[in-house]
Amino acid sequence: MNYLNRLTAIYLVFILSSGSLFAQEKADLEMMHRIKSEGIGNSQIEELSFYLTDYLGPRLSGSTNLRNAREWTAEKFKEWGLSNVKIDDYGDFGRGWNVKKSYIAMKVPYYAQVIGYPKAWTNGTNGAVSSEVVLLEINSDADFEKYRGTLKGKVITIASNLQLSPAFEAEARRWTDEDLEARKEITIGGRTGRYTPEMLAQLRAQRELDQKLSKFLLEEEVGLRITGTRGNFGTVFHTRAGSFSKEKLPTVPELEIAAEHHGRIYRLLKKGITVEIEAEVDVEWLDDDYRGYNVLAEIPGTDRNLGSEIVMLGAHLDSWHAGTGGNDNAAGVVVMMEAIRILKELGFQPKRTIRIALWGEEEQGLFGSRGYVQKYVADRNTKEKKAEWDKISAYYNLDNGSGKIRGIYLEGNDMLVPVFEEWFKPFHEMGAKTITRRNTGSTDHVAFDAVGVPGFQFIQDPIDYGRGYHTNMDVYERMQFADMTQAAVIIAAMVYNTAQRDEKLPRKPWK
């Protein structure tokens, strides 16, 4: 056979094999229509969003509100007729923590309410604190001695390098066609580190100095620390000061306050003008249960051969504590709940089992999803495969706000490009058609991808997600219900296709 004939034969084999592949992946348009009709015509998105945010409130990892949210979502799954509903222990987490009261105001040189919230897992003030504010300027070990013995019961702050700029860009945006096309591009090689050795040395030195400062403030029995935080127009991005460790490590009470309010206090102090603060932080530690939990529920598989295999969808149930976690991540939870409700309402009897998971403690390090994977799927360190490693076809995740789905990240899985291109075709008119091999991180799908199980996060319009998540303004009003309706329909379709496919989705090698 000459070269041209061999080339023709190879081409024919490719065409025939591609034809069989695309025939397998051809969308069930009748089912796509039914999913769209139920999801758009009978959407429960707004109702679920109200209960996850306004009704249940902030759901900090390990808090009472998160416990309540687990119970509420489990009951909702039972109400919908899902099977095997359970609140599943994934392993150790740590101490729970609730804010019972928080207040801060400036009294001198005049009265002004201050926007501020306790850092997570900080200790309380043991009653009201009323004190002048001491500006600590510590740039070396020698500077500590200037303040030693003078800070007991005082309110202290340090300089802030936060710089606020006018909001020249629109608060919200959608990805343009050019943006989405750029998300397909993969850069190979040539990447250099973000930090020079000198910069890394400076960062290490600053971290060491910060650790010494925290220890010093505890020794001095400081009454309260106030810290400026990034964000404009009174938006407070929050973090944690204390530890949820069972070791019960003490912390100085600490409030994060709006950058504008911290800037005012700092400038007054730098001019030598006395500032007095009145504040109180009352917190509650939960030491009755150090375990962490996920909420699980299923639509059982009905195929004799495939029923034991699993298609998973999920989102993290926990949030931070100053807002109500609207976009991070009540939105993802609501969309995933709505997706499984749609399939259940349609009376769908899948070949494979469909399992929804609402993860605990994602915000503190993917505890819930990693705990689940460690318990049921595989050990990413020893490479030990467990019962569900061979059973899970795919895990779908949503955790980038409430913007509509525009496509999906394949985490480098080349084999899935033609599969997902076919599956997304019925949703092109909804703006969802970008299939990229690129990776995206920092949320629960990475726990599955790390052990070789296909795990995916969707490309979403950012809207104002980056400016509002982890803040006091991450609330119901920030949620985009029409976009979430679109997302729920698409995810229901993806889950349906995965559940009905003759074979599990192809995997990347994992050894």
Side-chain angles (χ1 to χ4, degrees):
M1 184 183 291
N2 63 31
Y3 174 78
L4 183 59
N5 288 337
R6 286 200 304 271
L7 189 62
T8 302
I10 291 169
Y11 178 73
L12 287 172
V13 169
F14 173 77
I15 292 297
L16 290 171
S17 62
S18 297
S20 63
L21 172 65
F22 285 111
Q24 179 182 340
E25 308 309 338
K26 187 176 180 180
D28 180 344
L29 296 181
E30 180 182 349
M31 190 60 176
M32 297 302 101
H33 173 77
R34 295 181 65 202
I35 288 172
K36 289 177 183 178
S37 296
E38 175 61 29
I40 297 170
N42 298 308
S43 175
Q44 303 297 304
I45 292 288
E46 288 192 45
E47 181 81 353
L48 291 170
S49 296
F50 163 77
Y51 280 101
L52 259 295
T53 58
D54 293 343
Y55 176 71
L56 289 165
R59 303 169 305 284
L60 184 73
S61 302
S63 67
T64 298
N65 283 1
L66 180 58
R67 298 182 185 189
N68 293 340
R70 291 195 297 256
E71 296 289 344
W72 185 86
T73 51
E75 286 304 311
K76 183 59 67 175
F77 290 147
K78 292 175 184 177
E79 177 187 319
W80 290 344
L82 299 183
S83 302
N84 301 321
V85 179
K86 62 178 177 178
I87 297 174
D88 189 55
D89 176 344
Y90 67 72
D92 282 333
F93 170 66
R95 304 179 79 193
W97 179 88
N98 296 325
V99 179
K100 299 178 70 176
K101 181 180 181 181
S102 175
Y103 164 76
I104 180 169
M106 184 171 73
K107 295 195 304 180
V108 174
Y110 47 84
Y111 181 85
Q113 181 67 53
V114 174
I115 299 172
Y117 301 88
K119 279 193 174 184
W121 290 282
T122 186
N123 280 355
T125 56
N126 294 320
V129 172
S130 183
S131 163
E132 66 177 300
V133 181
V134 178
L135 175 61
L136 300 189
E137 297 183 292
I138 294 180
N139 300 305
S140 68
D141 290 349
D143 291 331
F144 287 105
E145 296 308 313
K146 294 187 293 185
Y147 304 102
R148 194 174 301 278
T150 67
L151 301 178
K152 185 173 182 177
K154 296 290 180 64
V155 176
I156 68 97
T157 192
I158 62 173
S160 172
N161 60 3
L162 294 169
Q163 303 231 343
L164 303 184
S165 59
F168 289 118
E169 295 182 4
E171 284 294 315
R173 65 171 301 210
R174 294 195 183 277
W175 295 125
T176 64
D177 290 343
E178 291 77 14
D179 292 330
L180 292 168
E181 195 62 29
R183 298 189 94 72
K184 295 181 181 180
E185 187 176 326
I186 297 175
T187 303
I188 300 174
R191 185 175 180 180
T192 57
R194 290 166 44 192
Y195 301 108
T196 65
E198 292 78 12
M199 293 168 67
L200 288 171
Q202 290 175 355
L203 288 171
R204 283 193 293 269
Q206 186 59 54
R207 186 161 51 245
E208 290 174 5
L209 193 63
D210 290 343
Q211 291 170 349
K212 290 178 181 178
L213 175 61
S214 296
K215 182 180 178 182
F216 176 73
L217 298 181
L218 272 173
E219 292 171 350
E220 291 295 300
E221 300 181 47
V222 164
L224 177 68
R225 179 176 179 174
I226 55 175
T227 304
T229 182
R230 66 188 178 95
N232 277 341
F233 303 106
T235 299
V236 177
F237 281 81
H238 32 252
T239 57
R240 61 183 173 93
S243 169
F244 45 79
S245 168
K246 293 182 286 186
E247 296 176 18
K248 302 183 180 181
L249 302 173
T251 68
V252 169
E254 186 167 359
L255 285 163
E256 291 177 293
I257 67 175
E260 296 90 342
H261 291 180
H262 185 265
R264 185 196 320 182
I265 292 169
Y266 172 75
R267 290 187 296 272
L268 287 166
L269 293 171
K270 285 294 286 183
K271 290 291 186 180
I273 298 169
T274 298
V275 176
E276 291 185 10
I277 286 289
E278 178 180 85
E280 183 174 2
V281 178
D282 187 10
V283 303
E284 174 185 32
W285 293 92
L286 305 177
D287 290 304
D288 58 320
D289 187 357
Y290 295 142
R291 306 293 281 177
Y293 300 88
N294 301 313
V295 183
L296 308 176
E298 295 177 346
I299 301 176
T302 58
D303 186 271
R304 183 175 63 181
N305 297 316
L306 302 180
S308 63
E309 295 183 1
I310 306 164
V311 182
M312 294 189 68
L313 66 161
H316 71 85
L317 191 55
D318 64 313
S319 74
W320 287 88
H321 56 292
T324 54
N327 278 326
D328 193 15
N329 186 33
V333 171
V334 167
V335 167
M336 293 309 195
M337 291 179 72
E338 174 71 355
I340 202 167
R341 184 201 68 80
I342 290 169
L343 295 173
K344 182 65 178 176
E345 184 65 25
L346 293 177
F348 174 47
Q349 295 185 313
K351 292 180 180 179
R352 292 178 177 83
T353 294
I354 296 171
R355 179 178 298 159
I356 187 170
L358 304 182
W359 307 117
E361 287 74 41
E362 184 269 356
E363 293 290 2
Q364 307 310 319
L366 310 185
F367 276 78
S369 55
R370 284 178 172 161
Y372 178 95
V373 167
Q374 176 69 29
K375 184 175 180 180
Y376 296 113
V377 185
D379 187 311
R380 61 177 175 162
N381 296 315
T382 67
K383 307 297 184 180
E384 176 194 359
K385 297 172 183 176
K386 302 186 179 180
E388 291 184 6
W389 189 86
D390 271 328
K391 300 293 184 183
I392 300 173
S393 179
Y395 168 69
Y396 297 102
N397 192 75
L398 199 71
D399 184 21
N400 285 150
S402 58
K404 68 166 60 172
I405 286 176
R406 306 301 302 277
I408 193 166
Y409 297 97
L410 298 189
E411 304 298 321
N413 191 333
D414 292 276
M415 295 81 78
L416 283 172
V417 173
V419 178
F420 284 180
E421 282 181 345
E422 287 297 307
W423 288 3
F424 267 80
K425 280 183 178 177
F427 305 102
H428 284 189
E429 76 278 11
M430 292 184 174
K433 57 184 177 182
T434 301
I435 311 300
T436 176
R437 296 171 176 83
R438 281 171 60 170
N439 300 335
T440 187
S442 304
T443 188
D444 293 297
H445 71 287
V446 302
F448 291 84
D449 186 67
V451 298
V453 174
F456 308 103
Q457 169 71 23
F458 294 89
I459 303 169
Q460 294 176 259
D461 277 333
I463 311 297
D464 55 4
Y465 177 70
R467 299 180 181 183
Y469 80 116
H470 294 193
T471 77
N472 55 325
M473 288 293 109
D474 187 11
V475 292
Y476 178 93
E477 283 77 7
R478 300 277 81 79
M479 300 169 80
Q480 306 299 313
F481 301 129
D483 287 11
M484 292 165 65
T485 299
Q486 179 252 29
V489 166
I490 291 173
I491 291 171
M494 295 290 286
V495 169
Y496 169 84
N497 290 330
T498 311
Q500 298 304 92
R501 194 174 191 269
D502 291 342
E503 304 292 336
K504 294 197 299 290
L505 292 183
R507 296 184 172 193
K508 299 179 294 185
W510 187 68
K511 296 179 181 180

